[in-house]
Amino acid sequence: MTKKRDMLPEEIQMRFLKRLEHFISNGYALQDALEAIAWDKDLADISSHFLFRLKEGERLELIFEETKFHSSVSAFLSFIHSNSNLREAIKKCIEVMEQRFNTMKKLKLIIRYPLMLLFFFSLILFFINYHVLPAFQSLFLTSSQALTTITVVKWIMDFLQFSLIFCSILLLGLTILWNYYSKKMPIEEQVKVTQRVPLYRHYLRIQTSFQFATHFSSLLKAGLSLKEILYELSNQQRLPIISYYATLLINNLEHGFHISNLLREFPLIEEQLAIIFQKNATTDVLERDLTLYSDMLLEEMERMTIKIITVIQPIFYIILGIFIIFIYLSLMWPMFQLMNTF
């Protein structure tokens, strides 16, 4: 378990988390739960590594990172040293991971077949452009109309291929540049950049509000004060936007501002979250409302991703339809024009 590994398979991650939550719910201590998980041969090595590293004094969320669980798991469990309710934290992890994995599974199923067809028809277009159309140009020299049509079709295909290659290289280059410079870019600059991307901005606002509500409610349940919670959120590094916003809240609360007014100024925080803080005066009611609101945001993220997926599939089939019609016309239209010359 000490060598570098790829990300654990999704099924293994979910099975481990569900077993851990199940044993802890039935009264097992963490060490006893990990020993019981080892009854499953597929999870025995992972469980042994957890036990070994815990005996060395390593923190739980860091062990999840070492064993290549999804980053969301370590982000949720990074507050365990403050919030002693391990079972609820793992349960929330399971909900988030199931939503994420199920969405990705649906996306892969929906786009797999259209992508295969798109790749297949792209090869056909490439073959037509570089083999069939040049042969047509030699064959239809006697028909000026057919020759003109073939020349136009070949120009369109060359343009489409150049555009596709250019866009792919541009997208790859922008991705590499963003991954490189975002690590050096201050978090306030990252927030300014991401909030300018229309679709992603809306999803990121819901995700950030979900993370803030979830961790704030869990720390409230652990008995921490508002100031202590904000210091916990600002000191962690796994959720940089939350850390940045928590730091801003600490600095401005010291000047007498109310947290609800400050939250309204954050572009990546939902308005409803500020309203919840404004109307709740007691800790118990605030913790309850934040928990329920985070559950609602999780459902909203799932609905949003499913909606995007259902839009992607028709777009793929429309593009495929255009490809098929274009292939048919590029082959048949010059022949029709040649026939009309006789």
Side-chain angles (χ1 to χ4, degrees), residues 160-178:
L160 288 174
Q161 289 176 3
F162 173 79
S163 300
L164 180 62
I165 294 172
F166 175 78
C167 291
S168 300
I169 294 174
L170 180 63
L171 182 62
L172 179 63
L174 289 175
T175 303
I176 294 173
L177 286 174
W178 172 252

Side-chain angles (χ1 to χ4, degrees), residues 250-263:
I250 292 171
N251 295 335
N252 285 280
L253 286 172
E254 292 175 352
H255 293 87
F257 293 97
H258 193 272
I259 187 171
S260 61
N261 296 328
L262 296 172
L263 288 173

